[in-house]
Structure formats: structure tokens, C-alpha cells
Amino acid sequence: INHKWQLLLGRGSSSYSQLLAATCLTKLVSRTNNPLPLEQRVDIRNYVLNYLATRPKLATFVTQALIQLYARITKLGWFDCQKDEYVFRNVINDVTRFLQDSVEHCIIGVTILSQLTNEINQADTSHPLTKHRKIASSFRDSSLFDIFTLSCSLLKQASGKNLNLNDESQHGLLMQLLKLTHNCLNFDFIGTSTDESSDDLCTVQIPTSWRSAFLDSSTLQLFFDLYHSIPPSFSPLVLSCLVQIASVRRSLFNNAERAKFLSHLVDGVKRILENPQSLSDPNNYHEFCRLLARLKSNYQLGELVKVENYPEVIRLIANFTVTSLQHWEFAPNSVHYLLSLWQRLAASVPYVKATEPHMLETYTPEVTKAYITSRLESVHIILRDGLEDPLEDTGLVQQQLDQLSTIGRCEYEKTCALLVQLFDQAAQSYQELLQSASASPMDLAVQEGRLTWLVYIIGAVIGGRVSFASTDEQDAMDGELVCRVLQLMNLTDSRLAQAGNEKLELAMLSFFEQFRKIYIGDQVQKSSKVRAWPAQQLEQLEQLQFQVFLAKHITNLKYWGRCEPITSKTLQLSVRKLVKLSAVQFMLNNHTSEHFSFLGINNQSNLTDMRCRTTFYTALGRLLMVDLGEDEDQYEQFMLPLTAAFETVAQMFSTNSFNEQEAKRTLVGLVRDLRGIAFAFNAKSSFMMLFEWIYPSYMPILQRAIELWYHDPACTTPVLKLMAELVHNRWGIPKNLGFPGILRNRILTLGEVPKDQVYALKLKGISICFSMLKAALSGSYVNFGVFRLYGDDALDNALQTFIKLLLSIPHSDLLDYPKLSQSYYSLLEVLTQDHMNFIASLEPHVIMYILSSISEGLTALDTMVCTGCCSCLDHIVTYLFKQLSRSTKKRSTPLAQESDRFLHIMQQHPEMIQQYFSDLRNSIVNSQPPEKQQAMHLCFENLMEGIERNLLTKNRDRFTQNLSAFRREVNDSMKNSSYGVNSNDMMS
């Protein structure tokens, strides 16, 4: 192997042959099976460094591939020793010779450090996550601060000289230095970072040993100076570094240090706002908006107002925000950060205790006005020029409205007055256009667009009402806004037979949801929050609670039957008191007959195609439950259409030839209907009526459907979800329904499934089966001990089915698919808690599979998964402890024999459960300065003080108390110490 890659690299004249050699070597050193010997990897590392040093002008992609190879070797060999030396850890020494040579060599050296930092920060799926975290933690503790300090030092040297901005090589060096610094600051210091999309307002967990770098104001000043002295194309990286620096954890400083740091930070922001020329670059603008958002996410309003230049800075930020909102077409994705800043500022107003004025009563109305007016003004331009409409992105709109809801409630009388004025103007213009025979479609569309924004915004500000901060005057203002939206709704509904606007309807539904959340409820008449409403508004409220809500339900289902977003949102707006109305009673009695003719819908498939049937029946089921009680006649009347449909399917199955597509469509629709009803029935009496209706009469039909169409998830998924809903219900009595076994027997015959379809065709059904079994085992429906007593093999069959399904899943898939992860680990938690005798009876390779999955799950980002794994491990170790403690004098029983077999397996495979506590203790103690080692050793000794050798709750609680004391003592011992960063971060 050596000869071949040296031949390709050393003698190859083609850049592509060099790239091929580097890429192949990277794959070779990355493999987990049959890894290269240590000596060979050391040789490759040394050869690559020499190759880069002697060929500084290689093609860029070749240099990058070789640096990637170096980074991969170094990362994977981080813990490899040769003659008691960690041979891959002297990374700064490796690049020193590059930094002392030409600019080209410097660039290579800095890029090596940057790529290595990035490589170690990124988990790779081919190696265990636990190994990644150990390497990352060791690299952080031993090398990262030195790399960061070196990077800042080189940046200071570069900024201290007159940079030759015409020299592209110096440009390259500056860019790589900034990337390196950013990679250092963006390091996942404590192993909790999720994906990059969630980093908007996070805290950077800088280790305590880095304190000196941040207490020194020159570090912060360095980046502000660089921002003003380098070309705008480099500025985004500088601002990205500042974003991270502004987000360092608060506990890194004491109060005085934090105030000083914040003062320097605000001064730097002020200087940028006073010279905003570079912010015309969209990337600079975006990063600067992120920096502004961090000011409030990491600091309190009470701290900000005490900064010397606060009045001037808040004025500059307000002006910048207003200008940004007015230029809505420029960097629209950055608006989120500005609104986030003002939302957090406004939310802090009731709590600020500082005597210094915050001045938000002056500036929040300006921000609110700028947002509202800019959205209205954008409508005409978007329609005129055919631009992308922000209203198409309902997720983005809702996010901005959630932020505006808090901002707008600050100085609410100004917000309300503005909305009344703008709404009245738009509504009057719209009505005039409707009455005009010469009105153009464009003019109508513009006014509908403006009204859409206003209805969304009105719903948002009403939804932002906070009960303890609201007044009668503000509630009266809400009434003014509600009346206007209802009047508009009456107007638009009257035109639906001719024309309708989908976006405006969605805005109405958003308004209804916000209004219902705040003002509609069983006690609404007694609520003080509406007493301030004028009599006319109270009358409208009563109307809204009953007839208006019902009318909107039926109107939308009638005219928007083929619009899935409107239909599903409409069906989610159920109100309990609607059941009193005669029209609702009609719906309950005629929900499937005549294909929903009472809604004016002539084809029931409208609801089937839109996948709304489950939601529709959930709404109907909830309405039925309000007055159902023990009235079996009313229940039977409600179920008649569904009974008829089931009988039709049964007749189809009873014949030798039938229309398969028609049968499948009718079944799929029925199980969605039933799932909606089962979800809605949350009382024992109503659920038992449903269960006794479906079991056992119609269970064979569902079973037959699974047997026929096991390969079609469009059929199996709805059926399995119905069964899961029945089992999940806390009032249900599960039977041996046979579904997991049937599905398993068919799924295991599917053969190889394409990777891009494996979840839909296989894993989704398995995941639902896991959820069903977990619910059945944890529902306290039956004493499982009686199964063995009476020779009933139903439980054993179900558990064996679980194992067969589990072993058909590649190990990596368990964590790659979140829903599968949650269902599997939830089920495993129940099995290890109540059925360890079954686990103990499994073959060693199955036990190893389960233990490995627990080990991987302990480091999962999903809290539900990792905490479930902790419980599983606790149950397993508790079981082992009990078996080891069991008296040998007890007579042997089948259960005892299984336990002995499990202990034997553990003894034969000690790698299954290993203890690292001693190594961890020694590592932490030895990392302390000599004078603190004895104290640290004592901390560990105190952990077991008063702990007895039993599993009693009192004993466990005592250990928990000891652990809390241990954490406090370690933190106190390590304060202001530059040693033991790893353990300090672990404790914090």
C-alpha cells in the first residue's frame, strides 16, 4: 500500500492523480474494520506534512484533500500511544514550520489547524458518538485554547501591519485566520449542540481556563478594529466571531466583569451603527442582525440600561430596525433577529428594576408601525412585479407574528389606533372596489393582500394578551379589532359562491384560533376580561362563540372542500358548546350519509384525498362526547353509517373477485374515521362503546386487510395507527389482536428495500408496532404473570415478535429515524423494567445488540431517548445486582436458571458492561495542581459516605444528596483554576 500511494503522490504529475491518492488514503485510514497499523499511519502523517511543506503551490483542491487526510488521521489516532507518547497530539508543533515560512506556507499551516478543529468538532456516523466526544473533550482541554490564542496573536500581527489589500496571498491568509478563529469559538465545548439551524440564540460554553482571553478587552477590540479596517468581503467572518464572543456564558464573569465586558461590546456596536456603510452587504447585514439579537439573549435589560451610552445606542438600534423593516426586500431572512431583539426587550419591561430609563415606550411603537406599514406597502410591489409572496411561507409569517405579538402589546393603545386606522382604510377601499363595475383584478388583489396582513396582525396582537399585564382599556381595544374582522368575514363569506381568497381565509382562521385561545371558554360570561367590552361587542362575542364559529365551519367545508390547509385548520377549531346547536346535531347524525350532502360536498373522496378525515372525525367525536354520557341509542345512531361501510367491505372480502382499489380506498377511509373517533373518546364509557363495537366483530376485516396489502404502507399505516390509538387509550382492554405477528411475517418477506424507501415501506410500520406493544405492556391492563401460569403463549409470542422485528433493523437506523428511536427506546424501557427475565433469556448476540443500542442512545441529542437509555441501564444493572446478591441456598427454578444464564453471559462477555469510574476519578485527580489533589480525592471518597450495599429508596436518595454535594465541592475547588477544565465543564 505504501508503495502505491507514494507513487501516486510523489511521481504523479496530474493534480487528479494526487487527489485520487489523498482521497483513497482518507478512506483507508477511516475504515473501522482492519485499521492500518499505527506505524503506517504515523508514516502517512509525516509524509503528508513534508509533501505540503515542499509543494506550497499545489492545486487548491489537492492541498485541501491532503489537509483533510492529515486531520482525519490525527482525529482517529488521538489516543494512540507509541513509547508512552501520544504521537498525534503535537499539532501546533506540526504547523510551526509552516508559520515561520512564506505567506503560502502560513496559509497551509493555518488551514491545517482550522480543518483539524472543524474535523474534531464534527461527529462522523461511521464511529461511535462516545468515541467522538472523548476525542473532542481531550482536544478541547489540551490544544484548543492554544490554537485560539495563536490565531488571535496572528490576527493582531496582521492588523498591526499595513495590510496590502492588493496582495491576494495576504487576503488568503487573513481569510484562513478568521475561519480558524471562528471554528475555535464555534466549537461544541460541552457536547450539547444540535444542528446549526437551532443556534440562533444559544450560549457559547467557553471553558473557565479561557477567562483571561475575554477579561482582556483587547481581544474584543481586535475584532471590532478588524471589521473597520478590512474589505467588506471579509467582514461577515469578523462579525460571526463577534456573535460568538457576545454569547459567552454569563457565569464566565462576575457581575463587575460582565458589566465591563458588556460596555465594550455595546461601544463596538455603536461604532458600527454610526458608520453603517459596510452593512449594505447582505452577509454583513445578516451577521450584524445576529449580533444585535445576542445583546438581549445573553444580557438582561436591567444590565443594558446601565451601559453609559445606552440612550444613544437604543436610538441607533431603533432607527436601524425601522430602516431595515421599511426595506423589506433586502435580506428578508435577517428580520427574524431584529424582531427577536425587540420581542425580548418588550417582554422584559414589566420586570426591569433599574432606575435608568429603558426608553422602550418611545421606540417599540416605531418598530411596530414600521413592520405593519412595510408589510402593507409590499403587497402592491409583489403583485406588480411577480415577486415571491411572503404570505406563501406560513411558517415564516407565524414566526414573525409571534414576535410582533409581544412588541405590539407594548404601548398597546398606539398599536390599536394604528390598526384601526389602517383596517378601516383598507376595508372601505375593498368595499368600494367590490361595488364598482370597473374595478381591476389587480386592485382587488392588492386590497385583499393588505387585509390579509391586517387580519393576521390583529390575531397576533390579541393572542399576545398577558392576563396579569392587561387592563380593561386594552380589552376594549381588542373588542374594537374583533368587530372589524367579523364584519370583514361576513363580507367575504357572502362572496364565496363567486370568488374567494385562500390567503385571506387562512388569516381569518389564524385570527379565530388566537381569539378562541384568549376569549372563548366555558366561563367566558363570568370572565372579567370581557366586562370592559361595550354591549354591542359582548353581543358579537356571544354570536362568535356559537353561530359565527359554526357558520364558519360549515361555510369553509362547503366552499373550501378541496383546499387542505383551510379544511384542516377549520376542523381544529371545535368549540364544546357547539353541540347544543341543531345544525351540529344534524352533522352528528348525517356525517357519512349522502356523501356529506349537508355540506354541499358531492364526493366524500374530497376529505379522503386531503387526508382530513381523521381530523374531521376527531372534531365530530369531541362534539358527540359532550352530551353522550350513557346514551347508547345516540351512539348507535352515530355509528350506523360506519357500520354499513364495514358491512360493505366484509361483503367484498367474502367474494372470490372484488374491486381491490375500491375496497382498499373504502377501508383506508374507514380506519381514518375510526382513529379520529378513538382519539376523541377519552372517557371510559364512550371508549368502551367503541371498543365493543369494533371487537371482535370487525377485527377480522382489519386483519384481512393487513394480510392482503402488507406491502402497501398507504393501507397498513392507517390500520396500525388505529390499533395503536385503541391500545394507547387508558380505558382500553387490549386483546391478542395478532397484528404485530402478521405484519412481521409479511415485512420479513419484503427482501431488500431501497434506502430512500426503507422508512416508508418498513420502518414506519415497525415503529408503530413498537408503540402498540409498549402501550399494551405499560397500560396496567392485565397481570402478565398469569400468562405463564395458565400456559398462555400470547405474551411470549409478542415479545419474540419484537426481537425478530428488532433484528431486521440495521443498528444505525435506530438513531437515524427519530420516530423509530422514540418508539424503540420507550418500549425497551418498559421491557427492562418489567420483563428482565425475558431479556435475560435471550441469546448473547441479541443482548449485545440491545446493550449497544443503549450505549449509542445515551449520547443521543433527543432528551427523551437518552433519559430512557439511562432508565434502561438502571433497570439492567439493578437486575444484575439483585441476582448477584441472591442467596445460593434458594432452590433452583426456571426463572432462577434464566438469571444464572444471564450472569454467565455477562461473565463471558465483560465488555458488555464496563466500569470507567476509577479511570475517570484518577484522571480528574491527577489533572489538578499538587496542592489540590488531596482535596479532590476526598471529594470522591465522600461520594460513598453512608451508602449501604442495597437498592432501597432511602439509600438511593442518600447517594443523590452526596452527588449534589460532590458537584458543589468540585466546583468550589476548581474556581479560578486553569487545571481540570474537563471536569469543571462536566460539573457545570
Side-chain angles (χ1 to χ4, degrees):
I1 296 175
N2 272 342
H3 174 72
K4 291 181 179 178
W5 65 259
Q6 286 188 7
L7 188 67
L8 275 172
L9 279 174
R11 299 183 185 177
S13 58
S14 165
S15 297
Y16 293 100
S17 65
Q18 295 165 340
L19 176 65
L20 176 63
T23 304
C24 290
L25 279 172
T26 302
K27 292 181 179 178
L28 197 62
V29 301
S30 302
R31 69 188 185 188
T32 53
N33 297 323
N34 191 24
L36 292 179
L38 175 59
E39 294 78 8
Q40 196 166 17
R41 284 180 283 131
V42 172
D43 288 344
I44 294 173
R45 188 273 309 270
N46 294 338
Y47 187 88
V48 167
L49 288 173
N50 288 326
Y51 195 86
L52 288 167
T54 55
R55 294 171 174 81
K57 295 186 183 295
L58 288 169
T60 304
F61 58 84
V62 175
T63 301
Q64 187 62 39
L66 288 168
I67 292 174
Q68 173 64 32
L69 170 59
Y70 167 84
R72 184 64 57 83
I73 290 177
T74 303
K75 174 183 178 177
L76 297 180
W78 192 255
F79 289 107
D80 289 341
C81 285
Q82 193 177 58
K83 297 178 182 178
D84 296 328
E85 178 190 0
Y86 290 109
V87 289
F88 292 107
R89 293 196 184 183
N90 294 323
V91 291
I92 294 183
N93 289 339
D94 288 346
V95 302
T96 298
R97 58 174 165 165
F98 291 93
L99 302 179
Q100 295 171 347
D101 210 321
S102 65
V103 174
E104 288 82 4
H105 283 87
C106 282
I107 291 174
I108 293 173
V110 173
T111 306
I112 287 173
L113 293 177
S114 181
Q115 182 60 39
L116 176 63
T117 303
N118 188 63
E119 172 74 23
I120 290 183
N121 195 38
Q122 299 295 323
D124 94 74
T125 55
S126 60
H127 294 84
L129 192 59
T130 49
K131 180 179 180 181
H132 160 72
R133 282 311 315 158
K134 286 178 67 179
I135 293 171
S137 298
S138 176
F139 175 78
R140 172 201 65 197
D141 297 340
S142 62
S143 305
L144 187 58
F145 184 56
D146 292 335
I147 293 173
F148 174 70
T149 304
L150 174 64
S151 181
C152 290
S153 176
L154 292 172
L155 280 172
K156 286 177 183 176
Q157 291 178 26
S159 63
K161 300 176 182 178
N162 291 324
L163 284 172
N164 183 355
L165 300 181
N166 296 318
D167 186 341
E168 288 196 8
S169 64
Q170 289 195 13
H171 276 198
L173 176 58
L174 183 61
M175 178 65 78
Q176 291 304 325
L177 281 170
L178 290 170
K179 284 183 178 178
L180 171 60
T181 310
H182 185 260
N183 284 348
C184 290
L185 292 167
N186 205 41
F187 197 81
D188 184 6
F189 292 101
I190 60 173
T192 57
S193 292
T194 54
D195 59 283
E196 293 182 359
S197 65
S198 63
D199 78 334
D200 293 349
L201 301 172
C202 68
T203 299
V204 179
Q205 299 289 345
I206 294 292
T208 304
S209 60
W210 292 38
R211 266 171 51 86
S212 58
F214 295 92
L215 292 179
D216 183 357
S217 60
S218 64
T219 303
L220 188 58
Q221 195 59 43
L222 165 66
F223 291 95
F224 281 117
D225 290 343
L226 280 170
Y227 173 82
H228 292 286
S229 62
I230 62 177
S233 58
F234 296 100
S235 303
L237 264 176
V238 178
L239 289 171
S240 293
C241 292
L242 282 168
V243 168
Q244 295 302 100
I245 293 172
S247 306
V248 296
R249 60 185 173 96
R250 295 172 55 83
S251 54
L252 194 67
F253 310 106
N254 62 34
N255 289 344
E257 291 165 347
R258 191 183 308 112
K260 183 179 179 182
F261 182 82
L262 178 59
S263 179
H264 288 301
L265 184 61
V266 170
D267 282 342
V269 168
K270 176 174 174 286
R271 185 180 169 197
I272 293 176
L273 287 168
E274 289 172 337
N275 301 277
Q277 294 82 1
S278 295
L279 296 179
S280 59
D281 176 83
N283 294 323
N284 275 342
Y285 172 82
H286 182 76
E287 292 301 318
F288 182 66
C289 289
R290 292 182 66 222
L291 177 59
L292 289 178
R294 299 289 172 109
L295 286 179
K296 184 58 191 72
S297 66
N298 214 30
Y299 301 95
Q300 298 169 2
L301 179 56
E303 293 173 317
L304 285 168
V305 296
K306 292 179 181 178
V307 173
E308 183 180 356
N309 294 318
Y310 173 79
E312 178 62 13
V313 171
I314 196 67
R315 182 187 67 81
L316 289 169
I317 292 176
N319 291 343
F320 175 76
T321 303
V322 168
T323 303
S324 298
L325 292 172
Q326 288 171 341
H327 293 83
W328 51 267
E329 73 285 0
F330 180 78
N333 293 331
S334 308
V335 170
H336 161 75
Y337 298 103
L338 293 175
L339 292 178
S340 173
L341 166 67
W342 287 98
Q343 178 190 27
R344 287 167 177 261
L345 287 171
S348 300
V349 169
Y351 307 101
V352 68
K353 296 178 181 178
T355 55
E356 293 82 357
H358 52 67
M359 307 176 72
L360 296 181
E361 70 281 355
T362 300
Y363 297 117
T364 50
E366 294 181 10
V367 172
T368 302
K369 181 178 180 180
Y371 180 85
I372 296 172
T373 55
S374 63
R375 302 310 106 169
L376 300 188
E377 290 164 2
S378 71
V379 173
H380 175 69
I381 300 170
I382 289 168
L383 290 173
R384 183 194 66 193
D385 299 340
L387 304 177
E388 186 177 354
D389 190 350
L391 289 169
E392 297 281 357
D393 188 346
T394 53
L396 178 65
V397 170
Q398 196 57 56
Q399 182 187 63
Q400 292 182 0
L401 292 174
D402 288 343
Q403 294 168 322
L404 185 71
S405 66
T406 305
I407 304 169
R409 294 297 295 201
C410 190
E411 300 296 308
Y412 189 47
E413 65 279 358
K414 295 180 181 178
T415 301
C416 185
L418 175 66
L419 286 172
V420 166
Q421 176 194 347
L422 294 172
F423 192 96
D424 287 350
Q425 291 173 354
Q428 183 177 353
S429 299
Y430 183 53
Q431 196 158 13
E432 290 172 355
L433 287 170
L434 291 177
Q435 294 170 352
S436 170
S438 60
S440 70
M442 171 63 80
D443 290 339
L444 275 171
V446 168
Q447 291 307 320
E448 286 175 344
R450 291 168 66 89
L451 287 167
T452 298
W453 274 111
L454 287 167
V455 171
Y456 266 127
I457 291 168
I458 288 172
V461 296
I462 288 175
R465 180 188 186 276
V466 181
S467 57
F468 71 84
S470 193
T471 64
D472 286 351
E473 290 75 19
Q474 289 185 350
D475 290 339
M477 295 175 202
D478 284 352
E480 292 284 347
L481 296 174
V482 168
C483 287
R484 283 165 168 79
V485 175
L486 290 181
Q487 290 166 359
L488 176 64
M489 186 196 73
N490 290 335
L491 176 62
T492 55
D493 281 358
S494 68
R495 300 185 62 249
L496 283 176
Q498 293 80 39
N501 186 298
E502 179 181 339
K503 293 173 188 173
L504 182 53
E505 288 296 335
L506 287 172
M508 294 276 191
L509 290 169
S510 176
F511 159 81
F512 278 139
E513 179 57 34
Q514 295 297 329
F515 182 80
R516 184 181 67 84
K517 180 178 70 176
I518 300 298
Y519 283 111
I520 297 285
D522 292 340
Q523 303 299 318
V524 71
Q525 294 301 322
K526 301 176 182 178
S527 174
S528 60
K529 62 191 176 188
V530 296
R531 289 177 185 166
W533 287 30
Q536 178 188 1
Q537 292 172 15
L538 280 173
E539 182 181 345
Q540 292 235 6
L541 173 63
E542 179 69 13
Q543 180 192 21
L544 178 64
Q545 190 173 358
F546 294 107
Q547 301 294 349
V548 173
F549 259 80
L550 174 67
K552 196 60 183 166
H553 270 69
I554 293 182
T555 298
N556 282 2
L557 289 173
K558 181 174 183 178
Y559 289 106
W560 295 101
R562 293 188 177 275
C563 180
E564 193 274 340
I566 291 178
T567 306
S568 61
K569 288 182 183 297
T570 299
L571 293 173
Q572 292 166 14
L573 284 174
S574 303
V575 180
R576 291 172 62 86
K577 289 187 177 179
L578 291 179
V579 77
K580 300 291 186 182
L581 301 177
S582 57
V584 172
Q585 290 295 323
F586 185 78
M587 290 173 69
L588 293 176
N589 294 330
N590 298 273
H591 47 93
T592 59
S593 63
E594 301 298 329
H595 299 301
F596 294 88
S597 60
F598 71 99
L599 297 176
I601 300 174
N602 296 320
N603 190 344
Q604 189 178 0
S605 66
N606 288 352
L607 288 177
T608 303
D609 295 342
M610 294 181 298
R611 306 172 67 85
C612 287
R613 288 179 66 152
T614 300
T615 312
F616 179 77
Y617 273 89
T618 299
L620 284 185
R622 285 174 178 163
L623 292 171
L624 178 66
M625 274 204 57
V626 174
D627 283 342
L628 181 62
E630 302 294 333
D631 189 345
E632 294 187 13
D633 291 340
Q634 185 177 359
Y635 175 80
E636 289 178 4
Q637 176 69 25
F638 178 82
M639 298 300 289
L640 275 176
L642 297 173
T643 301
F646 254 126
E647 295 295 340
T648 300
V649 176
Q651 290 176 7
M652 290 181 180
F653 283 165
S654 66
T655 60
N656 293 328
S657 60
F658 60 92
N659 187 325
E660 185 171 335
Q661 290 303 316
E662 177 66 17
K664 186 185 295 186
R665 186 189 69 80
T666 305
L667 186 64
V668 172
L670 275 174
V671 292
R672 283 184 178 156
D673 301 346
L674 287 170
R675 183 182 170 215
I677 296 170
F679 183 76
F681 282 6
N682 55 11
K684 182 176 181 180
S685 57
S686 57
F687 181 81
M688 287 308 301
M689 288 180 189
L690 174 65
F691 191 85
E692 289 168 2
W693 177 83
I694 198 173
Y695 186 90
S697 302
Y698 300 120
M699 199 58 61
I701 298 175
L702 300 178
Q703 200 158 321
R704 176 65 173 148
I706 288 287
E707 291 172 345
L708 281 174
W709 300 309
Y710 68 92
H711 57 281
D712 185 357
C715 179
T716 58
T717 297
V719 175
L720 288 173
K721 284 187 174 181
L722 167 62
M723 300 314 301
E725 194 63 55
L726 290 173
V727 176
H728 270 285
N729 192 291
R730 62 193 180 96
W731 297 111
I733 302 177
K735 305 287 184 180
N736 181 19
L737 303 179
F739 274 83
I742 294 169
L743 188 68
R744 182 257 303 170
N745 292 335
R746 298 298 192 269
I747 277 183
L748 296 182
T749 65
L750 286 177
E752 193 67 26
V753 179
K755 182 67 176 175
D756 60 339
Q757 299 179 45
V758 69
Y759 183 74
L761 294 179
K762 178 180 177 181
L763 298 181
K764 186 173 184 179
I766 292 177
S767 175
I768 299 171
C769 285
F770 285 176
S771 297
M772 290 166 59
L773 184 57
K774 184 259 181 182
L777 293 177
S778 62
S780 299
Y781 302 125
V782 68
N783 185 335
F784 289 106
V786 303
F787 281 82
R788 178 168 293 201
L789 181 64
Y790 289 101
D792 189 335
D793 60 358
L795 177 62
D796 287 339
N797 289 341
L799 296 178
Q800 291 297 336
T801 295
F802 157 68
I803 294 299
K804 290 176 181 177
L805 288 174
L806 179 62
L807 294 181
S808 74
I809 304 172
H811 204 262
S812 59
D813 287 351
L814 285 177
L815 285 171
D816 285 349
Y817 297 94
K819 290 186 177 179
L820 176 62
S821 296
Q822 292 180 1
S823 62
Y824 165 67
Y825 286 106
S826 296
L827 172 57
L828 190 60
E829 189 175 354
V830 173
L831 289 173
T832 54
Q833 179 177 358
D834 300 325
H835 301 275
M836 266 306 299
N837 286 320
F838 168 73
I839 300 291
S841 70
L842 297 172
E843 293 298 319
H845 74 280
V846 181
I847 295 175
M848 191 65 188
Y849 183 103
I850 291 173
L851 288 176
S852 298
S853 71
I854 293 174
S855 176
E856 294 291 324
L858 286 170
T859 56
L861 297 175
D862 187 329
T863 306
M864 178 177 164
V865 169
C866 63
T867 53
C869 287
C870 290
S871 296
C872 291
L873 199 57
D874 178 35
H875 298 149
I876 293 172
V877 175
T878 298
Y879 178 84
L880 281 171
F881 178 82
K882 288 180 177 178
Q883 302 313 314
L884 286 169
S885 304
R886 181 167 49 90
S887 172
T888 57
K889 295 182 180 180
K890 289 185 177 179
R891 62 186 178 89
S892 179
T893 65
L895 289 179
Q897 291 170 5
E898 288 176 359
S899 304
D900 292 340
R901 183 170 177 269
F902 187 54
L903 289 175
H904 181 68
I905 291 173
M906 292 292 107
Q907 292 165 355
Q908 292 294 316
H909 300 273
E911 73 280 4
M912 285 187 175
I913 298 181
Q914 298 182 14
Q915 299 289 335
Y916 293 103
F917 180 75
S918 297
D919 293 341
L920 176 65
R921 177 186 58 197
N922 295 337
S923 172
I924 293 175
V925 170
N926 293 334
S927 69
Q928 303 306 301
E931 67 274 11
K932 288 194 173 185
Q933 289 188 4
Q934 182 59 34
M936 184 61 70
H937 183 77
L938 185 61
C939 288
F940 279 96
E941 290 295 319
N942 291 340
L943 260 177
M944 298 302 293
E945 182 183 355
I947 303 301
E948 301 172 357
R949 189 174 174 80
N950 62 59
L951 297 173
L952 297 177
T953 302
K954 182 179 179 180
N955 202 34
R956 288 175 180 255
D957 290 345
R958 179 64 185 268
F959 180 76
T960 302
Q961 293 167 6
N962 287 359
L963 190 61
S964 298
F966 170 79
R967 183 178 183 273
R968 285 195 307 272
E969 291 167 2
V970 170
N971 276 335
D972 292 342
S973 171
M974 302 179 67
K975 276 184 179 176
N976 301 319
S977 170
S978 60
Y979 292 85
V981 177
N982 183 19
S983 55
N984 187 31
D985 282 344
M986 177 187 72
M987 293 301 135
S988 59

